[in-house]
Every structure is written in C-alpha cells, then in structure tokens.
Amino acid sequence: MSKTSTTDPAPAGGPEDQDLGAAGSQLSTAPKEDAPHLPSLGVIGWARWFWRQLTSMRVALLLLLLLSLGAIPGSLIPQTGIDATKVAEFRKNNPTLGDVYDKLGMFHVYSSVWFSAIYILLFVSLIGCIVPRTWQFVGQLRGRPPGAPKRLNRLPAHTTWRTTAEPEQVREAALALLKKRRFRAHLAGDAVAAEKGYLREVGNLVFHLALIVMLVAFAWGQLFKAEGFKLVVEGDGFSNTLTQYDDFKSGNLFTQDDLNPFSFRLKNFTGTYEMSGPNRGTPRTYQATVDYSVGAYGKDEHKTIKVNEPLTIGDTKVYLASHGYAPVVTVRDGKGDVVYRDAVPLLPLDGFATSSGAIKVMDGYRNAKGQKEQLGFQAFFVPTYHGGAMVSQFPALMSPVLALNAYHGDLGVDSGLPQSVYQLDKTNMKEFKDSQGKLLKKLLKPGQTMQLPNGAGSITFEKDIKEWAQFQITQQPASGWALGGAIAAIFGLAGSLFIQRRRVWVRAVRGADGVTVVEMAGLGRSESAKVPEELGDLAGILYDRAPGASDPADSPDPDQEPGTTTPVPAEGAEKQ
C-alpha cells in the first residue's frame, strides 16, 4: 500500500538541511547576497562595494523609479526643444521661478546633467546585473539537474508507494515519462533527476536585455533625431532641405547630410464633416493627396496621407498635422496693374476654421503719386458666415467671407528683424481712411473687390479658394529597435512572472522485504499549486506503469478485492 508521510524537519544547519539546500540551489540566476559587512579599507574595497550596490536589483529598481520621476517635469514644464516661445513666456511671467528652473535644467530636462546621470547609471546597472546572470544561466544549461536529496519526504510535495516492478524498470519508465513531458532528465544513482521551466530565466534575461535595447535606442534617437513643420498650399511642393522648413529642431549629433532626400507636391486636401447631431463639424474625411519622389531622379509616386497613416520614406515619416484655408487675392495699383496675386494661408482660431492672418505687398506697388510704398491688409476669413460677428458656423466652404483692414507705409521687412508672416507690424504703417475718416474695412464675398481711396488701387477676393495642409516631418532613427525592445520586454516579463522553474526526483530502491519502494518529490522556486498538481499527475501516470503492491504492515480491507492496492496521493496534490 502506498504511503504518504510528513516528517518533522531536522535541526537547522544539519546535513539534511545542507542536502535540501543543494537540491534547491540554482533555481534562478539571481546573484547570491552575502551577509552585510563593512567594506575593506582602501580604494579597491570601496570600489568593489560600490559596484555591488550599483548592480543590485534594488538599486536598478530605484534608478528606474528616479528616471520615471525625472520625466515628470519634462511633461509639465515647457521645454526649449519643443516650444521655445512658451519657455520665454514662462520666464517673463515667472522671473524668479524661471531662474530657479533654469539653474536646475528644468527647461531642458532630457538633456540635463542630472537626468543624464540617472540614465547612464541605470544603463551601467543593467549591464552589470545581466552579464553575470547570463554566464550563470549558460553554465546551468550546460550542466545537469542536481541529484535527489537523501530524504525526499522533507520536500513540500512528495509521495511514495510500493510496487512489484523492478527498480530499474521504474527508473526507466520515470526517465521516459519526464522526457516526454519536456523535462531535462537524467539518471543520478538510484534516482531520476529532472528539471523544467528554464524559460523563466530566459524571460528574465530577455526583459533586462530589452531594457538595455530600449535605453540605447532612446539615446540614439535623441542624438540623431530631427523634426520639422511645413505648411503647404494646394499646388505647392516641399523639398527635404533645412531652408524649406517653417520650423525645425534636431538632436545634438544630427547634421544636414542625415536628411533623407525626397520631395512631394500637395495635389489637394479633402475634408468632409458631420452635418448634424452632437458631433456636427467633426471631420469624417481628413486626408491630403500628394505626389512624391525619392532622390534627385526618383520616380513620382502617389500617396494619400491621413491622420494616422503617414508617408514613410526610410526612417522619415510625414504626418498630416493640421489644415486651413488660403484665399486667393489680387492687388492692383492705381493704374490697374497687378502687383500681387497669390493664395494667402490663414491660421485657424477655432474648430470651425475661423481664421486670421496678414496680406503683405512688399514690392512693385506705387501709390497714386507714383511713390514706392508697401501695402498691408489684416485679414479675417470664415468659411461659413451667417451674419453678425466674424465667427464661422461650420468648417466647410458653405458661405465664405473675407474681412480686410487696409494699411499702407513700411511693413518693416527690410529692417533685418524677423517677423511672422501671419502678423502685421503696424508700427510704421498708416490706415487707409473711408469716407467717414475711419479705418477702411470691408467684408468681401468671392469675386468682390475693395477699392482703396484716392486712386490707391484695389484688392479682389478671387473665387478660387485653396486649402493648405501642415505636415510634420520626423526622422527618428532606432524607433524600430525601441518598439522591438518594448515588445520583447513585455514577453520577457510575462515569461518571468508566469513560468515556474521546478524540479522533480524519482527514486526507486529495493526495500528490506524485497519489494521496490518508489519515492517522488517536487520542488519549485516559490510556493505554488502547480508543483504538487504536476507531481500528482506524473505520479498517477507512473503508478499505472508500476502498480502498487500490498504492504504487509497494513491490515487487509474486507471490502477490497484480493491483490489490489489503494494509492494515496502526494501531500498537497490529488492523484490523477
């Protein structure tokens, strides 16, 4: 009859405890922690102590936490590399706090000394942690599971029974069974030793390696990244050179030669919107159709760029960022000669494309007296006008109106100081007056003209209204590596959490009465129901191949048929 017993543990520190410790050794690649002691005197001792602390798991987790906390100011405080205008505005509104933030590097968090120090220390800590664990794991793969302890019944999950089968037959059956269940198994004396769950440590190592890949990819991307914006009117084009960008910023090691050579032309922009309901005015279709070519002699190709579907050329992606309108206007002088004709992009002020901007006539204009002068018009545009205030009622071109305020004089573009093309510097400008002596202003519908007083000319709002699209061009090298590292880290972490490394031993020896005694025991890295359940399953299969024999010490059961035995399941596990 099978026996299941639980024996009180031997005194701590005895040979049996040492035997069990050897059986459970190397169930992980975590480095052994020595008892705390003071470091040896001298530089070498302190350096060794510092290296052990730096490469410990708790320090790595602490550095990872500090890195996460250090990234918070970069999200809450305006950054110079993202929006220098907001940084200047913050300093102006908060001079004292701005000086403190400046000294602490809060306006450029990700390139600050303290953030870089945390980043580098975390990188070194991960490398120092993963290298010895890798070598230790390779050594475990090349070795064999340790032999069985002398007393298997001291392990958390164990079972035993007596059988008429020969010990050699039981061990051969156990070896075949464990190998079939994908255990690494071998004969070690009078027992079979088997181990399973190496993927747990593989997942652990993959997770740490993936973190290193992500850190390297992030650093590489920050050093060699480039990002810029370009507003393109329908019919116009863009070539990927620095002079073509409206706004451009890059990493510290990026050079102009790193720009991918390509160009594109915006054929048209298509936008459709919800006509009614709570989502009225929400875009339904929002896409730009472009013809692009790669290289100086590349073949033209066709592409439709949508919000989440960028144009990808190498490691450069062209995203559709925003959209607006560019009314076409024609300006004539007093003689009726055309001095300006172009589509003027105006910037939207709200979700319904109420837009504003400036029209600047810098060259070619002469006033009624024949004197050279410059014209400026402050422009407001609404695609759907229903009267009253200049506020659009819908983002589509249903009832477009252009409102103009007229000025003449010096635009200040020749002073050498930079100025926005969307704003009018009226410092040296004079107002055109209407018949009542007020600022000349007028609402124009497509095809209408505003006459300037005293034969100074006119401006016409043409029926052709073009649209523009703003593109965000990003070049982020190593982004694929970062994505691959993130995916590998997720799978590695899942493996290290859900896969349990465990060992099973099967001992078969001949007892004093000549009957074979079979002992089975399992041991896992941590307490889990999987080890006793798996052991019970294996014991049930092996029991079928080596059925139990009666124990003469037990009294016979009157209800039991002669020649049969009743197996008792392993402790903590139900026999299958």
Side-chain angles (χ1 to χ4, degrees), residues 342-534:
D342 202 357
V344 182
L346 303 177
L347 299 181
L349 302 176
D350 56 30
F352 283 176
T354 302
S355 307
S356 69
I359 302 172
K360 301 180 181 182
V361 181
M362 296 177 285
D363 300 311
Y365 173 76
R366 292 180 180 270
N367 58 23
K369 299 179 180 179
Q371 298 174 340
K372 288 185 177 181
E373 213 173 17
Q374 294 176 334
L375 298 179
F377 300 90
Q378 203 167 26
F380 296 91
F381 176 79
V382 291
T384 302
Y385 181 68
H386 288 168
M390 283 292 293
V391 177
S392 179
Q393 304 300 315
F394 198 74
L397 289 172
M398 300 177 66
S399 178
V401 169
L402 177 66
L404 296 175
N405 300 339
Y407 302 86
H408 64 100
D410 183 8
L411 292 170
V413 295
D414 299 326
S415 62
L417 299 176
Q419 61 175 244
S420 172
V421 296
Y422 305 104
Q423 295 179 348
L424 194 64
D425 184 3
K426 294 179 275 189
T427 305
N428 299 315
M429 300 292 288
K430 298 179 181 179
E431 299 176 350
F432 278 109
K433 303 293 184 179
D434 58 14
S435 58
Q436 299 178 355
K438 297 181 180 180
L439 171 64
L440 179 64
K441 58 178 66 175
K442 190 173 183 180
L443 299 181
L444 299 178
K445 294 183 178 180
Q448 292 184 343
T449 300
M450 180 174 73
Q451 297 291 335
L452 301 178
N454 303 321
S458 65
I459 179 171
T460 301
F461 177 24
E462 303 292 346
K463 295 182 179 180
D464 182 18
I465 302 175
K466 296 185 177 182
E467 299 185 52
W468 58 259
Q470 187 182 45
F471 297 95
Q472 180 184 7
I473 299 98
T474 62
Q475 186 168 333
Q476 189 80 24
S479 58
W481 285 96
L483 177 61
I487 295 175
I490 293 174
F491 281 100
L493 183 61
S496 64
L497 291 177
F498 299 110
I499 298 176
Q500 185 180 16
R501 191 169 172 184
R502 60 245 187 234
R503 289 171 180 164
V504 173
W505 293 275
V506 181
R507 175 178 285 130
V509 295
R510 194 178 301 279
D513 57 355
V515 179
T516 301
V517 178
V518 182
E519 291 181 288
M520 290 187 68
L523 181 65
R525 182 179 176 185
S526 59
E527 293 295 333
S528 172
K530 187 171 186 178
V531 173
E533 288 179 1
E534 189 172 34

